Amino acid sequence: MSETNDQELLHTPLYDYYLEKNLKLTNFGGWALPVQFTKIAEEHAAVRNHAGIFDVSHMGEIMVKGTQATEWLNKLVTNDVSKMVMHQAQYNTMTNEQGGTLDDLLLFKFSDSHYLVTPNASNTEKIYSWMNQHLDEGIEIVNVSDSYGLIALQGPKAERILKSMTQTTLADLKAYHFLPSENFGNIEDVIVARTGYTGEDGFELYVQKKDTQELWKKLLRAGFIHGLKECGLGARDTLRLEAGMPLYGQELSEEISPLEAGVGFAVKLDKATAFIGQTALKEQREKGLKRLSRGFELLDKGIARHGYPVLNGNQEEIGVVTSGTQSPSLGKSLGMILINKAEAQLGETVWIQVRKKQIPAKLTKKDWLKELQNSNKGG
């Protein structure tokens, strides 16, 4: 994230609203977005304890249609699309021939012949181009990103807030499933998905671009009594990190496979349909991974940022920090590293070069949210 002239950047449907509120905007993957509305720690706490809303309209939307849509998508992604049921969302990765990650994305199944693919913002054009390069006859793909806004409502009170705005029984909507067309008063045809990027319960609302700002304000009014807060990029990052969720360009890249990044659950090497990158990923699994993604916690003061070197006791470089932050919920410095498998034993100590200082860190699982939940029960 870097500051720049936001006139040169892409704008979400909430851009004018940000100007009205005199918010400082930053460059996030070519989009002008706020890092925070108030304080990152306050916004983070609201999502963990009550609810928060995020503008994620920068994410891409690509519609896929055709009688062979299921089979065709199954050749492009690592998870098994044939196992999806109607109105299910599936976490997925798309890989190149070498097994490197082109993107991690969600698939939404409307029917056997109709899917929505949601790539990360900075990857939308790349993924759309990749899909076009591998297009089969009878398959139609349309980049509809400019038609949609996307609002994430996240937190333990998210269902309560959204329930007050619709007649639909949201309690019946399972995680990673969606409602294809909901109305919120005069705002029609909203896709309501029980998905998110915070580790909390919540929803992502795909709304017509023209209605995005109105829906945002409706949510704010409905959520006021429940402690709902507007949230920016800062809280989105600390929340996803505490939840151990990868960020493309950091935990995942064209040089890092989904197996190395720790999202192997979305890689079905034995599915009937061969996919691009399958051979390379099978080879990785059979020969054994050389690198792994691990969590870490610093044992001294400091914050380890993306790109900082990781050393062993012999001062040899054995890995790199992919993400790091000061956890607002747990009050400690944590993050994720990509490390040589031979030195990735959980509980071991490594040293992270934080500017001119080497700070010891303990290798951990990425289950900080479980720790938080257990501490809350204990409290």
PDB file of all heavy atoms in Angstrom, residues 52-54 56 150-155 157-163 170-171 173-174 177-179 191-198 200-206:
ATOM      1  N   GLY A  52     -18.505  -5.323  11.445  1.00  0.00           N
ATOM      2  CA  GLY A  52     -17.884  -4.269  10.645  1.00  0.00           C
ATOM      3  C   GLY A  52     -18.268  -4.435   9.192  1.00  0.00           C
ATOM      4  O   GLY A  52     -18.613  -5.543   8.750  1.00  0.00           O
ATOM      5  N   ILE A  53     -18.223  -3.324   8.435  1.00  0.00           N
ATOM      6  CA  ILE A  53     -18.448  -3.430   6.983  1.00  0.00           C
ATOM      7  C   ILE A  53     -17.223  -2.919   6.242  1.00  0.00           C
ATOM      8  O   ILE A  53     -16.571  -1.966   6.655  1.00  0.00           O
ATOM      9  CB  ILE A  53     -19.714  -2.705   6.470  1.00  0.00           C
ATOM     10  CG1 ILE A  53     -19.811  -1.272   6.980  1.00  0.00           C
ATOM     11  CG2 ILE A  53     -20.951  -3.488   6.757  1.00  0.00           C
ATOM     12  CD1 ILE A  53     -20.934  -0.500   6.312  1.00  0.00           C
ATOM     13  N   PHE A  54     -16.942  -3.588   5.137  1.00  0.00           N
ATOM     14  CA  PHE A  54     -15.776  -3.310   4.304  1.00  0.00           C
ATOM     15  C   PHE A  54     -16.229  -3.097   2.863  1.00  0.00           C
ATOM     16  O   PHE A  54     -17.090  -3.826   2.370  1.00  0.00           O
ATOM     17  CB  PHE A  54     -14.805  -4.505   4.307  1.00  0.00           C
ATOM     18  CG  PHE A  54     -14.319  -4.919   5.664  1.00  0.00           C
ATOM     19  CD1 PHE A  54     -15.119  -5.701   6.497  1.00  0.00           C
ATOM     20  CD2 PHE A  54     -13.050  -4.562   6.105  1.00  0.00           C
ATOM     21  CE1 PHE A  54     -14.662  -6.109   7.741  1.00  0.00           C
ATOM     22  CE2 PHE A  54     -12.588  -4.968   7.348  1.00  0.00           C
ATOM     23  CZ  PHE A  54     -13.393  -5.744   8.165  1.00  0.00           C
ATOM     24  N   VAL A  56     -15.244  -3.944  -0.580  1.00  0.00           N
ATOM     25  CA  VAL A  56     -14.342  -4.823  -1.331  1.00  0.00           C
ATOM     26  C   VAL A  56     -14.753  -4.859  -2.806  1.00  0.00           C
ATOM     27  O   VAL A  56     -14.594  -5.859  -3.506  1.00  0.00           O
ATOM     28  CB  VAL A  56     -14.259  -6.247  -0.716  1.00  0.00           C
ATOM     29  CG1 VAL A  56     -13.349  -6.246   0.487  1.00  0.00           C
ATOM     30  CG2 VAL A  56     -15.624  -6.785  -0.304  1.00  0.00           C
ATOM     31  N   LEU A 150     -19.196  -4.546  -4.092  1.00  0.00           N
ATOM     32  CA  LEU A 150     -19.140  -5.688  -3.166  1.00  0.00           C
ATOM     33  C   LEU A 150     -18.884  -5.180  -1.760  1.00  0.00           C
ATOM     34  O   LEU A 150     -17.896  -4.488  -1.502  1.00  0.00           O
ATOM     35  CB  LEU A 150     -18.041  -6.663  -3.607  1.00  0.00           C
ATOM     36  CG  LEU A 150     -17.832  -7.925  -2.765  1.00  0.00           C
ATOM     37  CD1 LEU A 150     -19.107  -8.739  -2.613  1.00  0.00           C
ATOM     38  CD2 LEU A 150     -16.726  -8.792  -3.370  1.00  0.00           C
ATOM     39  N   ILE A 151     -19.815  -5.491  -0.866  1.00  0.00           N
ATOM     40  CA  ILE A 151     -19.722  -5.059   0.531  1.00  0.00           C
ATOM     41  C   ILE A 151     -19.629  -6.298   1.415  1.00  0.00           C
ATOM     42  O   ILE A 151     -20.440  -7.221   1.296  1.00  0.00           O
ATOM     43  CB  ILE A 151     -20.950  -4.221   0.950  1.00  0.00           C
ATOM     44  CG1 ILE A 151     -21.046  -2.947   0.091  1.00  0.00           C
ATOM     45  CG2 ILE A 151     -20.886  -3.863   2.434  1.00  0.00           C
ATOM     46  CD1 ILE A 151     -22.342  -2.167   0.286  1.00  0.00           C
ATOM     47  N   ALA A 152     -18.631  -6.323   2.298  1.00  0.00           N
ATOM     48  CA  ALA A 152     -18.506  -7.423   3.263  1.00  0.00           C
ATOM     49  C   ALA A 152     -19.021  -6.953   4.617  1.00  0.00           C
ATOM     50  O   ALA A 152     -18.576  -5.922   5.134  1.00  0.00           O
ATOM     51  CB  ALA A 152     -17.051  -7.858   3.373  1.00  0.00           C
ATOM     52  N   LEU A 153     -19.975  -7.693   5.163  1.00  0.00           N
ATOM     53  CA  LEU A 153     -20.514  -7.451   6.516  1.00  0.00           C
ATOM     54  C   LEU A 153     -20.032  -8.616   7.369  1.00  0.00           C
ATOM     55  O   LEU A 153     -20.419  -9.763   7.135  1.00  0.00           O
ATOM     56  CB  LEU A 153     -22.044  -7.404   6.464  1.00  0.00           C
ATOM     57  CG  LEU A 153     -22.790  -7.410   7.807  1.00  0.00           C
ATOM     58  CD1 LEU A 153     -22.504  -6.150   8.610  1.00  0.00           C
ATOM     59  CD2 LEU A 153     -24.297  -7.583   7.586  1.00  0.00           C
ATOM     60  N   GLN A 154     -19.157  -8.338   8.336  1.00  0.00           N
ATOM     61  CA  GLN A 154     -18.477  -9.398   9.078  1.00  0.00           C
ATOM     62  C   GLN A 154     -18.571  -9.203  10.591  1.00  0.00           C
ATOM     63  O   GLN A 154     -18.501  -8.072  11.073  1.00  0.00           O
ATOM     64  CB  GLN A 154     -16.997  -9.422   8.680  1.00  0.00           C
ATOM     65  CG  GLN A 154     -16.748  -9.637   7.191  1.00  0.00           C
ATOM     66  CD  GLN A 154     -16.917 -11.074   6.774  1.00  0.00           C
ATOM     67  OE1 GLN A 154     -16.198 -11.952   7.223  1.00  0.00           O
ATOM     68  NE2 GLN A 154     -17.887 -11.332   5.905  1.00  0.00           N
ATOM     69  N   GLY A 155     -18.688 -10.315  11.317  1.00  0.00           N
ATOM     70  CA  GLY A 155     -18.686 -10.247  12.771  1.00  0.00           C
ATOM     71  C   GLY A 155     -19.818 -11.049  13.370  1.00  0.00           C
ATOM     72  O   GLY A 155     -20.772 -11.425  12.677  1.00  0.00           O
ATOM     73  N   LYS A 157     -22.348 -10.313  15.019  1.00  0.00           N
ATOM     74  CA  LYS A 157     -23.706  -9.749  14.920  1.00  0.00           C
ATOM     75  C   LYS A 157     -24.133  -9.502  13.472  1.00  0.00           C
ATOM     76  O   LYS A 157     -25.161  -8.877  13.210  1.00  0.00           O
ATOM     77  CB  LYS A 157     -23.787  -8.455  15.737  1.00  0.00           C
ATOM     78  CG  LYS A 157     -23.620  -8.720  17.238  1.00  0.00           C
ATOM     79  CD  LYS A 157     -23.799  -7.485  18.070  1.00  0.00           C
ATOM     80  CE  LYS A 157     -23.612  -7.809  19.554  1.00  0.00           C
ATOM     81  NZ  LYS A 157     -23.562  -6.601  20.392  1.00  0.00           N
ATOM     82  N   ALA A 158     -23.349 -10.003  12.518  1.00  0.00           N
ATOM     83  CA  ALA A 158     -23.650  -9.770  11.098  1.00  0.00           C
ATOM     84  C   ALA A 158     -25.018 -10.315  10.710  1.00  0.00           C
ATOM     85  O   ALA A 158     -25.801  -9.634  10.030  1.00  0.00           O
ATOM     86  CB  ALA A 158     -22.551 -10.402  10.234  1.00  0.00           C
ATOM     87  N   GLU A 159     -25.319 -11.539  11.151  1.00  0.00           N
ATOM     88  CA  GLU A 159     -26.607 -12.135  10.783  1.00  0.00           C
ATOM     89  C   GLU A 159     -27.768 -11.326  11.350  1.00  0.00           C
ATOM     90  O   GLU A 159     -28.764 -11.076  10.669  1.00  0.00           O
ATOM     91  CB  GLU A 159     -26.692 -13.585  11.277  1.00  0.00           C
ATOM     92  CG  GLU A 159     -27.966 -14.272  10.822  1.00  0.00           C
ATOM     93  CD  GLU A 159     -28.155 -15.661  11.405  1.00  0.00           C
ATOM     94  OE1 GLU A 159     -27.214 -16.477  11.316  1.00  0.00           O
ATOM     95  OE2 GLU A 159     -29.250 -15.935  11.951  1.00  0.00           O
ATOM     96  N   ARG A 160     -27.617 -10.890  12.607  1.00  0.00           N
ATOM     97  CA  ARG A 160     -28.671 -10.115  13.257  1.00  0.00           C
ATOM     98  C   ARG A 160     -28.956  -8.817  12.474  1.00  0.00           C
ATOM     99  O   ARG A 160     -30.098  -8.409  12.291  1.00  0.00           O
ATOM    100  CB  ARG A 160     -28.235  -9.782  14.696  1.00  0.00           C
ATOM    101  CG  ARG A 160     -29.394  -9.509  15.633  1.00  0.00           C
ATOM    102  CD  ARG A 160     -28.907  -9.270  17.049  1.00  0.00           C
ATOM    103  NE  ARG A 160     -28.072 -10.349  17.567  1.00  0.00           N
ATOM    104  CZ  ARG A 160     -27.492 -10.324  18.763  1.00  0.00           C
ATOM    105  NH1 ARG A 160     -27.633  -9.262  19.547  1.00  0.00           N
ATOM    106  NH2 ARG A 160     -26.761 -11.335  19.164  1.00  0.00           N
ATOM    107  N   ILE A 161     -27.892  -8.175  12.029  1.00  0.00           N
ATOM    108  CA  ILE A 161     -28.040  -6.910  11.297  1.00  0.00           C
ATOM    109  C   ILE A 161     -28.728  -7.144   9.954  1.00  0.00           C
ATOM    110  O   ILE A 161     -29.700  -6.461   9.610  1.00  0.00           O
ATOM    111  CB  ILE A 161     -26.660  -6.245  11.085  1.00  0.00           C
ATOM    112  CG1 ILE A 161     -26.084  -5.794  12.432  1.00  0.00           C
ATOM    113  CG2 ILE A 161     -26.762  -5.068  10.117  1.00  0.00           C
ATOM    114  CD1 ILE A 161     -24.602  -5.453  12.391  1.00  0.00           C
ATOM    115  N   LEU A 162     -28.250  -8.137   9.212  1.00  0.00           N
ATOM    116  CA  LEU A 162     -28.802  -8.378   7.876  1.00  0.00           C
ATOM    117  C   LEU A 162     -30.231  -8.902   7.956  1.00  0.00           C
ATOM    118  O   LEU A 162     -31.065  -8.583   7.102  1.00  0.00           O
ATOM    119  CB  LEU A 162     -27.902  -9.359   7.116  1.00  0.00           C
ATOM    120  CG  LEU A 162     -27.963  -9.268   5.585  1.00  0.00           C
ATOM    121  CD1 LEU A 162     -27.604  -7.869   5.085  1.00  0.00           C
ATOM    122  CD2 LEU A 162     -27.043 -10.301   4.945  1.00  0.00           C
ATOM    123  N   LYS A 163     -30.515  -9.676   9.002  1.00  0.00           N
ATOM    124  CA  LYS A 163     -31.852 -10.241   9.191  1.00  0.00           C
ATOM    125  C   LYS A 163     -32.902  -9.135   9.337  1.00  0.00           C
ATOM    126  O   LYS A 163     -34.043  -9.288   8.912  1.00  0.00           O
ATOM    127  CB  LYS A 163     -31.854 -11.152  10.428  1.00  0.00           C
ATOM    128  CG  LYS A 163     -33.119 -11.986  10.590  1.00  0.00           C
ATOM    129  CD  LYS A 163     -32.932 -13.074  11.628  1.00  0.00           C
ATOM    130  CE  LYS A 163     -32.785 -12.501  13.029  1.00  0.00           C
ATOM    131  NZ  LYS A 163     -32.750 -13.561  14.064  1.00  0.00           N
ATOM    132  N   LEU A 170     -32.007 -16.117   7.251  1.00  0.00           N
ATOM    133  CA  LEU A 170     -30.567 -16.241   7.005  1.00  0.00           C
ATOM    134  C   LEU A 170     -29.929 -17.361   7.811  1.00  0.00           C
ATOM    135  O   LEU A 170     -28.866 -17.861   7.448  1.00  0.00           O
ATOM    136  CB  LEU A 170     -29.872 -14.917   7.315  1.00  0.00           C
ATOM    137  CG  LEU A 170     -30.250 -13.759   6.388  1.00  0.00           C
ATOM    138  CD1 LEU A 170     -29.745 -12.446   6.940  1.00  0.00           C
ATOM    139  CD2 LEU A 170     -29.708 -13.989   4.990  1.00  0.00           C
ATOM    140  N   ALA A 171     -30.587 -17.777   8.891  1.00  0.00           N
ATOM    141  CA  ALA A 171     -30.031 -18.852   9.731  1.00  0.00           C
ATOM    142  C   ALA A 171     -29.886 -20.144   8.933  1.00  0.00           C
ATOM    143  O   ALA A 171     -29.051 -20.993   9.252  1.00  0.00           O
ATOM    144  CB  ALA A 171     -30.921 -19.074  10.954  1.00  0.00           C
ATOM    145  N   LEU A 173     -28.874 -20.312   5.865  1.00  0.00           N
ATOM    146  CA  LEU A 173     -27.796 -20.187   4.874  1.00  0.00           C
ATOM    147  C   LEU A 173     -26.482 -20.629   5.506  1.00  0.00           C
ATOM    148  O   LEU A 173     -25.962 -19.996   6.415  1.00  0.00           O
ATOM    149  CB  LEU A 173     -27.699 -18.730   4.397  1.00  0.00           C
ATOM    150  CG  LEU A 173     -26.700 -18.456   3.268  1.00  0.00           C
ATOM    151  CD1 LEU A 173     -27.076 -19.192   1.993  1.00  0.00           C
ATOM    152  CD2 LEU A 173     -26.589 -16.950   3.010  1.00  0.00           C
ATOM    153  N   LYS A 174     -25.940 -21.740   5.010  1.00  0.00           N
ATOM    154  CA  LYS A 174     -24.700 -22.294   5.583  1.00  0.00           C
ATOM    155  C   LYS A 174     -23.485 -21.510   5.092  1.00  0.00           C
ATOM    156  O   LYS A 174     -23.542 -20.840   4.059  1.00  0.00           O
ATOM    157  CB  LYS A 174     -24.534 -23.755   5.161  1.00  0.00           C
ATOM    158  CG  LYS A 174     -25.589 -24.702   5.683  1.00  0.00           C
ATOM    159  CD  LYS A 174     -25.236 -26.111   5.220  1.00  0.00           C
ATOM    160  CE  LYS A 174     -26.475 -26.954   5.066  1.00  0.00           C
ATOM    161  NZ  LYS A 174     -26.214 -28.144   4.258  1.00  0.00           N
ATOM    162  N   HIS A 177     -22.162 -20.867   1.187  1.00  0.00           N
ATOM    163  CA  HIS A 177     -23.341 -20.993   0.333  1.00  0.00           C
ATOM    164  C   HIS A 177     -23.883 -19.584   0.106  1.00  0.00           C
ATOM    165  O   HIS A 177     -23.504 -18.649   0.818  1.00  0.00           O
ATOM    166  CB  HIS A 177     -24.401 -21.895   0.978  1.00  0.00           C
ATOM    167  CG  HIS A 177     -24.032 -23.346   0.950  1.00  0.00           C
ATOM    168  ND1 HIS A 177     -23.042 -23.869   1.756  1.00  0.00           N
ATOM    169  CD2 HIS A 177     -24.492 -24.381   0.188  1.00  0.00           C
ATOM    170  CE1 HIS A 177     -22.911 -25.164   1.500  1.00  0.00           C
ATOM    171  NE2 HIS A 177     -23.771 -25.500   0.559  1.00  0.00           N
ATOM    172  N   PHE A 178     -24.767 -19.440  -0.876  1.00  0.00           N
ATOM    173  CA  PHE A 178     -25.242 -18.093  -1.183  1.00  0.00           C
ATOM    174  C   PHE A 178     -26.690 -18.096  -1.653  1.00  0.00           C
ATOM    175  O   PHE A 178     -27.232 -19.120  -2.087  1.00  0.00           O
ATOM    176  CB  PHE A 178     -24.345 -17.433  -2.244  1.00  0.00           C
ATOM    177  CG  PHE A 178     -24.422 -18.041  -3.620  1.00  0.00           C
ATOM    178  CD1 PHE A 178     -25.229 -17.477  -4.611  1.00  0.00           C
ATOM    179  CD2 PHE A 178     -23.682 -19.177  -3.944  1.00  0.00           C
ATOM    180  CE1 PHE A 178     -25.301 -18.032  -5.885  1.00  0.00           C
ATOM    181  CE2 PHE A 178     -23.741 -19.731  -5.222  1.00  0.00           C
ATOM    182  CZ  PHE A 178     -24.556 -19.165  -6.194  1.00  0.00           C
ATOM    183  N   LEU A 179     -27.312 -16.921  -1.522  1.00  0.00           N
ATOM    184  CA  LEU A 179     -28.645 -16.666  -2.055  1.00  0.00           C
ATOM    185  C   LEU A 179     -28.456 -15.883  -3.359  1.00  0.00           C
ATOM    186  O   LEU A 179     -27.795 -14.840  -3.350  1.00  0.00           O
ATOM    187  CB  LEU A 179     -29.475 -15.853  -1.054  1.00  0.00           C
ATOM    188  CG  LEU A 179     -29.613 -16.474   0.340  1.00  0.00           C
ATOM    189  CD1 LEU A 179     -30.210 -15.477   1.319  1.00  0.00           C
ATOM    190  CD2 LEU A 179     -30.476 -17.734   0.277  1.00  0.00           C
ATOM    191  N   ILE A 191     -26.674 -10.604  -4.617  1.00  0.00           N
ATOM    192  CA  ILE A 191     -26.178 -11.942  -4.286  1.00  0.00           C
ATOM    193  C   ILE A 191     -25.659 -11.885  -2.848  1.00  0.00           C
ATOM    194  O   ILE A 191     -24.786 -11.062  -2.525  1.00  0.00           O
ATOM    195  CB  ILE A 191     -25.036 -12.366  -5.232  1.00  0.00           C
ATOM    196  CG1 ILE A 191     -25.512 -12.384  -6.691  1.00  0.00           C
ATOM    197  CG2 ILE A 191     -24.491 -13.743  -4.835  1.00  0.00           C
ATOM    198  CD1 ILE A 191     -24.375 -12.487  -7.704  1.00  0.00           C
ATOM    199  N   VAL A 192     -26.205 -12.731  -1.977  1.00  0.00           N
ATOM    200  CA  VAL A 192     -25.810 -12.741  -0.563  1.00  0.00           C
ATOM    201  C   VAL A 192     -25.047 -14.037  -0.280  1.00  0.00           C
ATOM    202  O   VAL A 192     -25.628 -15.120  -0.266  1.00  0.00           O
ATOM    203  CB  VAL A 192     -27.046 -12.640   0.365  1.00  0.00           C
ATOM    204  CG1 VAL A 192     -26.632 -12.720   1.832  1.00  0.00           C
ATOM    205  CG2 VAL A 192     -27.812 -11.344   0.099  1.00  0.00           C
ATOM    206  N   ALA A 193     -23.748 -13.920  -0.073  1.00  0.00           N
ATOM    207  CA  ALA A 193     -22.908 -15.098   0.166  1.00  0.00           C
ATOM    208  C   ALA A 193     -22.446 -15.135   1.619  1.00  0.00           C
ATOM    209  O   ALA A 193     -22.059 -14.103   2.175  1.00  0.00           O
ATOM    210  CB  ALA A 193     -21.688 -15.060  -0.750  1.00  0.00           C
ATOM    211  N   ARG A 194     -22.507 -16.314   2.222  1.00  0.00           N
ATOM    212  CA  ARG A 194     -22.012 -16.446   3.603  1.00  0.00           C
ATOM    213  C   ARG A 194     -20.512 -16.779   3.533  1.00  0.00           C
ATOM    214  O   ARG A 194     -20.077 -17.913   3.739  1.00  0.00           O
ATOM    215  CB  ARG A 194     -22.780 -17.507   4.372  1.00  0.00           C
ATOM    216  CG  ARG A 194     -22.618 -17.310   5.889  1.00  0.00           C
ATOM    217  CD  ARG A 194     -23.773 -17.876   6.673  1.00  0.00           C
ATOM    218  NE  ARG A 194     -23.898 -17.204   7.964  1.00  0.00           N
ATOM    219  CZ  ARG A 194     -25.002 -17.171   8.690  1.00  0.00           C
ATOM    220  NH1 ARG A 194     -26.104 -17.730   8.247  1.00  0.00           N
ATOM    221  NH2 ARG A 194     -25.016 -16.545   9.853  1.00  0.00           N
ATOM    222  N   THR A 195     -19.751 -15.779   3.180  1.00  0.00           N
ATOM    223  CA  THR A 195     -18.306 -15.911   3.003  1.00  0.00           C
ATOM    224  C   THR A 195     -17.640 -14.681   3.617  1.00  0.00           C
ATOM    225  O   THR A 195     -18.308 -13.714   3.984  1.00  0.00           O
ATOM    226  CB  THR A 195     -17.949 -15.989   1.506  1.00  0.00           C
ATOM    227  OG1 THR A 195     -18.572 -14.885   0.812  1.00  0.00           O
ATOM    228  CG2 THR A 195     -18.412 -17.288   0.880  1.00  0.00           C
ATOM    229  N   GLY A 196     -16.320 -14.707   3.698  1.00  0.00           N
ATOM    230  CA  GLY A 196     -15.609 -13.551   4.238  1.00  0.00           C
ATOM    231  C   GLY A 196     -14.135 -13.820   4.398  1.00  0.00           C
ATOM    232  O   GLY A 196     -13.642 -14.903   4.085  1.00  0.00           O
ATOM    233  N   TYR A 197     -13.440 -12.804   4.925  1.00  0.00           N
ATOM    234  CA  TYR A 197     -11.974 -12.832   4.961  1.00  0.00           C
ATOM    235  C   TYR A 197     -11.471 -12.356   6.320  1.00  0.00           C
ATOM    236  O   TYR A 197     -10.457 -11.715   6.425  1.00  0.00           O
ATOM    237  CB  TYR A 197     -11.484 -11.917   3.831  1.00  0.00           C
ATOM    238  CG  TYR A 197     -10.024 -12.005   3.440  1.00  0.00           C
ATOM    239  CD1 TYR A 197      -9.392 -13.222   3.206  1.00  0.00           C
ATOM    240  CD2 TYR A 197      -9.282 -10.831   3.278  1.00  0.00           C
ATOM    241  CE1 TYR A 197      -8.067 -13.282   2.820  1.00  0.00           C
ATOM    242  CE2 TYR A 197      -7.949 -10.879   2.891  1.00  0.00           C
ATOM    243  CZ  TYR A 197      -7.342 -12.100   2.667  1.00  0.00           C
ATOM    244  OH  TYR A 197      -6.021 -12.148   2.282  1.00  0.00           O
ATOM    245  N   THR A 198     -12.247 -12.693   7.370  1.00  0.00           N
ATOM    246  CA  THR A 198     -11.908 -12.191   8.710  1.00  0.00           C
ATOM    247  C   THR A 198     -11.811 -13.293   9.757  1.00  0.00           C
ATOM    248  O   THR A 198     -11.333 -13.049  10.861  1.00  0.00           O
ATOM    249  CB  THR A 198     -12.981 -11.187   9.198  1.00  0.00           C
ATOM    250  OG1 THR A 198     -14.247 -11.858   9.283  1.00  0.00           O
ATOM    251  CG2 THR A 198     -13.084  -9.993   8.264  1.00  0.00           C
ATOM    252  N   GLU A 200     -14.470 -14.516  11.019  1.00  0.00           N
ATOM    253  CA  GLU A 200     -15.753 -14.399  11.719  1.00  0.00           C
ATOM    254  C   GLU A 200     -16.890 -14.820  10.798  1.00  0.00           C
ATOM    255  O   GLU A 200     -16.718 -14.909   9.578  1.00  0.00           O
ATOM    256  CB  GLU A 200     -15.984 -12.947  12.169  1.00  0.00           C
ATOM    257  CG  GLU A 200     -14.959 -12.415  13.148  1.00  0.00           C
ATOM    258  CD  GLU A 200     -14.974 -13.113  14.511  1.00  0.00           C
ATOM    259  OE1 GLU A 200     -16.040 -13.660  14.894  1.00  0.00           O
ATOM    260  OE2 GLU A 200     -13.935 -13.118  15.179  1.00  0.00           O
ATOM    261  N   ASP A 201     -18.061 -15.042  11.389  1.00  0.00           N
ATOM    262  CA  ASP A 201     -19.255 -15.247  10.567  1.00  0.00           C
ATOM    263  C   ASP A 201     -19.513 -13.951   9.798  1.00  0.00           C
ATOM    264  O   ASP A 201     -19.117 -12.870  10.228  1.00  0.00           O
ATOM    265  CB  ASP A 201     -20.450 -15.573  11.483  1.00  0.00           C
ATOM    266  CG  ASP A 201     -21.722 -15.865  10.694  1.00  0.00           C
ATOM    267  OD1 ASP A 201     -21.612 -16.296   9.526  1.00  0.00           O
ATOM    268  OD2 ASP A 201     -22.819 -15.656  11.244  1.00  0.00           O
ATOM    269  N   GLY A 202     -20.171 -14.071   8.667  1.00  0.00           N
ATOM    270  CA  GLY A 202     -20.461 -12.845   7.930  1.00  0.00           C
ATOM    271  C   GLY A 202     -20.947 -13.119   6.528  1.00  0.00           C
ATOM    272  O   GLY A 202     -21.144 -14.272   6.113  1.00  0.00           O
ATOM    273  N   PHE A 203     -21.137 -12.032   5.791  1.00  0.00           N
ATOM    274  CA  PHE A 203     -21.719 -12.101   4.455  1.00  0.00           C
ATOM    275  C   PHE A 203     -20.951 -11.184   3.510  1.00  0.00           C
ATOM    276  O   PHE A 203     -20.395 -10.170   3.930  1.00  0.00           O
ATOM    277  CB  PHE A 203     -23.186 -11.654   4.500  1.00  0.00           C
ATOM    278  CG  PHE A 203     -24.022 -12.437   5.467  1.00  0.00           C
ATOM    279  CD1 PHE A 203     -24.122 -12.046   6.800  1.00  0.00           C
ATOM    280  CD2 PHE A 203     -24.696 -13.586   5.057  1.00  0.00           C
ATOM    281  CE1 PHE A 203     -24.880 -12.773   7.712  1.00  0.00           C
ATOM    282  CE2 PHE A 203     -25.451 -14.322   5.966  1.00  0.00           C
ATOM    283  CZ  PHE A 203     -25.544 -13.914   7.285  1.00  0.00           C
ATOM    284  N   GLU A 204     -20.957 -11.566   2.239  1.00  0.00           N
ATOM    285  CA  GLU A 204     -20.462 -10.687   1.198  1.00  0.00           C
ATOM    286  C   GLU A 204     -21.615 -10.435   0.236  1.00  0.00           C
ATOM    287  O   GLU A 204     -22.263 -11.381  -0.224  1.00  0.00           O
ATOM    288  CB  GLU A 204     -19.244 -11.305   0.498  1.00  0.00           C
ATOM    289  CG  GLU A 204     -18.046 -11.339   1.443  1.00  0.00           C
ATOM    290  CD  GLU A 204     -16.795 -11.948   0.845  1.00  0.00           C
ATOM    291  OE1 GLU A 204     -16.882 -13.044   0.264  1.00  0.00           O
ATOM    292  OE2 GLU A 204     -15.720 -11.333   0.976  1.00  0.00           O
ATOM    293  N   LEU A 205     -21.895  -9.168  -0.017  1.00  0.00           N
ATOM    294  CA  LEU A 205     -23.076  -8.749  -0.764  1.00  0.00           C
ATOM    295  C   LEU A 205     -22.657  -8.179  -2.122  1.00  0.00           C
ATOM    296  O   LEU A 205     -22.047  -7.105  -2.187  1.00  0.00           O
ATOM    297  CB  LEU A 205     -23.855  -7.699   0.038  1.00  0.00           C
ATOM    298  CG  LEU A 205     -24.138  -8.066   1.506  1.00  0.00           C
ATOM    299  CD1 LEU A 205     -24.691  -6.877   2.266  1.00  0.00           C
ATOM    300  CD2 LEU A 205     -25.104  -9.239   1.584  1.00  0.00           C
ATOM    301  N   TYR A 206     -22.971  -8.923  -3.170  1.00  0.00           N
ATOM    302  CA  TYR A 206     -22.678  -8.487  -4.537  1.00  0.00           C
ATOM    303  C   TYR A 206     -23.885  -7.688  -5.011  1.00  0.00           C
ATOM    304  O   TYR A 206     -24.961  -8.241  -5.234  1.00  0.00           O
ATOM    305  CB  TYR A 206     -22.450  -9.694  -5.447  1.00  0.00           C
ATOM    306  CG  TYR A 206     -21.189 -10.462  -5.133  1.00  0.00           C
ATOM    307  CD1 TYR A 206     -21.126 -11.356  -4.052  1.00  0.00           C
ATOM    308  CD2 TYR A 206     -20.041 -10.314  -5.910  1.00  0.00           C
ATOM    309  CE1 TYR A 206     -19.973 -12.060  -3.760  1.00  0.00           C
ATOM    310  CE2 TYR A 206     -18.880 -11.023  -5.635  1.00  0.00           C
ATOM    311  CZ  TYR A 206     -18.860 -11.890  -4.554  1.00  0.00           C
ATOM    312  OH  TYR A 206     -17.708 -12.598  -4.258  1.00  0.00           O
TER     313      TYR A 206
END
